[in-house]
Amino acid sequence: MKSDPIELSVLENALGHRFRRPELLEQALMHASYAREMESKNAAAGQVVPAPDNEQMEFLGDAVLSFVVSQELFRRFPEYREGELSKLRAHIVSARNLLRPARALKIGQFLRLGKGEERSGGRGKSALVTDALEALIAALYLDGGLEAAHSFILRTILEPELAEVHKLGDKQLPVMDYKSALQEAAHASGRPQPRYVLVKEEGPDHRKMFTMEAHVAASADGDKEFVRRSEGSTKKLAEQGAARKAWEYLQSLKAGSAGVSSRELPEQS
């Protein structure tokens, strides 16, 4: 059964891609329940015609998504270790976080579902729409190459999720760039640009540990200066840790929840 071309053009607009092979888009939206019903109907009519579903495309889309996100995180965060990059990637590609773009694209309304799945509310099921999102990534890759899939993933999944993590300041994940975030927050509060001081460097060459301080000067409005300290296996990591602590403190001041003295002693990590 062919999909309504007008309906699919709406989805193409949302995806930002016009398919040269629309059958790829149709397959990405075909749930296994619908495909099996079509096969049963064909068999009843004396025809053995397999109906493709989106499960294999979901498999490919998952791999493309993981590759693109890995490549971007590797490029954007050269100072992070493998474990930190893996944690951030797992967060971004998790089913919970894929649900947001899947719902924003209204994928549920485009799905081809079997009657039983339709009756059980399949269009609203999280697993079905996130699986279809991965299948759509595969369709983009197969029709437009890696560039089309890359552009969609950055625009729809990676950039919004990094911005959200950055905004929330998740303590368990490395975020975009706390030094930049601190600089913006300092500027917004009328303070000069923060400066970073190497306090200590210790350990053998193969296991160096660096201690850095982020110094945030007083504002013209009378907000007091303060210092935050952090350790790391590289200077960049230690700077990011100190910047993070300073940024979090400025956020607490902004929220009116801080009751800290004027110049605090540097914190230990």
Side-chain angles (χ1 to χ4, degrees):
M1 176 179 176
K2 291 288 185 181
S3 303
D4 183 345
I6 298 177
E7 180 182 343
L8 289 186
S9 70
V10 173
L11 182 56
E12 285 180 316
N13 290 337
L15 295 173
H17 179 79
R18 192 66 60 190
F19 280 81
R20 293 171 293 182
R21 298 167 59 193
E23 65 272 16
L24 290 171
L25 180 56
E26 292 177 358
Q27 184 178 346
L29 297 168
M30 190 174 295
H31 188 255
S33 62
Y34 184 88
R36 301 296 82 80
E37 282 189 6
M38 291 300 99
E39 290 174 346
S40 296
K41 288 181 179 179
N42 291 335
Q47 299 175 327
V48 181
V49 182
D53 57 46
N54 65 2
E55 290 182 355
Q56 283 189 319
M57 295 185 76
E58 174 199 340
F59 168 79
L60 177 59
D62 175 70
V64 174
L65 173 62
S66 183
F67 170 72
V68 170
V69 171
S70 298
Q71 183 184 52
E72 283 297 314
L73 296 182
F74 177 83
R75 181 181 66 81
R76 296 179 187 213
F77 307 115
E79 69 272 24
Y80 290 132
R81 293 178 173 177
E82 182 272 339
E84 293 170 314
L85 292 172
S86 294
K87 184 184 295 185
L88 184 52
R89 179 185 62 193
H91 174 79
I92 291 170
V93 305
S94 67
R96 184 185 67 177
N97 287 315
L98 292 182
L99 187 57
R100 178 196 54 77
R103 285 178 171 168
L105 291 166
K106 299 180 179 179
I107 289 176
Q109 73 182 40
F110 298 102
L111 288 176
R112 300 292 180 261
L113 301 175
K115 293 178 181 177
E117 195 63 61
E118 186 79 69
R119 285 194 297 269
S120 67
R123 295 188 186 280
K125 291 181 180 178
S126 300
L128 266 62
V129 296
T130 54
D131 288 349
L133 176 62
E134 291 179 331
L136 286 169
I137 291 171
L140 287 167
Y141 172 72
L142 293 170
D143 192 73
L146 185 59
E147 182 178 353
H150 186 276
S151 176
F152 172 77
I153 291 168
L154 257 63
R155 182 181 71 254
T156 310
I157 299 172
L158 182 64
E159 297 287 5
E161 190 53 40
L162 283 178
E164 186 67 16
V165 173
H166 184 221
K167 181 177 70 175
L168 296 176
D170 193 319
K171 292 179 173 58
Q172 300 304 314
L173 295 168
V175 293
M176 290 185 287
D177 182 358
Y178 274 112
K179 289 181 68 176
S180 296
L182 177 59
Q183 184 172 333
E184 293 171 7
H187 177 75
S189 63
R191 301 172 187 263
Q193 182 173 331
R195 61 186 180 90
Y196 297 88
V197 178
L198 176 62
V199 177
K200 187 167 53 177
E201 177 181 337
E202 57 187 353
D205 289 341
H206 65 287
R207 292 187 63 184
K208 285 280 189 185
M209 285 299 293
F210 300 87
T211 302
M212 301 291 298
E213 286 182 349
H215 291 244
V216 181
S219 71
D221 296 333
D223 293 324
K224 306 301 183 180
E225 63 180 327
F226 64 92
V227 178
R228 288 294 183 269
R229 175 183 291 187
S230 183
E231 293 180 345
S233 57
T234 67
K235 289 181 182 178
K236 284 186 177 181
L237 278 176
E239 285 180 349
Q240 285 285 345
R244 176 179 189 154
K245 291 180 179 182
W247 177 81
E248 289 173 346
Y249 177 62
L250 281 180
Q251 294 303 108
S252 72
L253 289 180
K254 184 178 178 181
S257 61
V260 189
S261 61
S262 59
R263 178 174 176 86
E264 301 183 353
L265 293 175
E267 290 188 349
Q268 300 297 322
S269 58

